[in-house]
């Protein structure tokens, strides 16, 4: 099982945006991230899915609203990579950085 997360090194543009509306960035040490996925080919689809949350896009504090006010290049930089931490209840074989076994 994988938990979505944000590494401390990967919240560069996001940190000041969230702090600007009184929110904290919930990030983990980089060493906790076992898998990162470049989703750039699907960034447009991901953005459309975020926009589907119209009530959040229209408000100032939720992340979709913050992202909607950014230039497209900055927004794409923020949403183009997904980070995960592999959670296991017992030892596993193979490379924990792989999404499939």
């Amino acid at each position: 099982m994988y938990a979505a997360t944000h590494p401390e090194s990967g919240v560069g543009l996001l940190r000041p945006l969230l702090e600007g509306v009184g929110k904290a960035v919930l990030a983990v040490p980089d060493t906790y991230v076992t898998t990162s996925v470049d989703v750039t080919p699907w960034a447009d689809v991901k953005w459309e899915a975020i926009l589907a949350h119209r009530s959040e896009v229209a408000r100032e504090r939720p992340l979709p609203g913050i992202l909607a006010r950014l230039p497209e290049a900055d927004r794409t930089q923020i949403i183009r990579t997904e980070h995960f931490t592999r959670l296991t209840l017992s030892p596993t074989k193979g490379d924990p950085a792989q999404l499939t076994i």
Side-chain angles (χ1 to χ4, degrees), residues 9-65:
S9 68
V11 293
L13 285 175
L14 196 54
R15 184 179 308 278
L17 296 171
L18 291 174
E19 289 175 348
V21 295
K23 289 186 164 191
V25 175
L26 302 176
V28 299
D30 289 8
T31 56
Y32 287 20
V33 176
T34 58
T35 306
S36 295
V37 179
D38 179 2
V39 297
T40 302
W42 302 277
D44 290 340
V45 174
K46 183 177 177 180
W47 180 237
E48 288 176 24
I50 293 168
L51 287 176
H53 299 272
R54 290 179 284 173
S55 64
E56 291 190 21
V57 171
R59 296 186 353 231
E60 183 179 317
R61 290 191 77 230
L63 185 55

Side-chain angles (χ1 to χ4, degrees), residues 2 4-5 8-9 11 18 31 43-45 48 55 60 65 67 75-76 78 85 89 97 100:
Y2 289 83
T5 191
E8 289 175 346
S9 68
V11 293
L18 291 174
T31 56
D44 290 340
V45 174
E48 288 176 24
S55 64
E60 183 179 317
L67 293 173
R75 181 175 56 243
T76 300
I78 290 170
T85 298
L89 300 176
T100 58

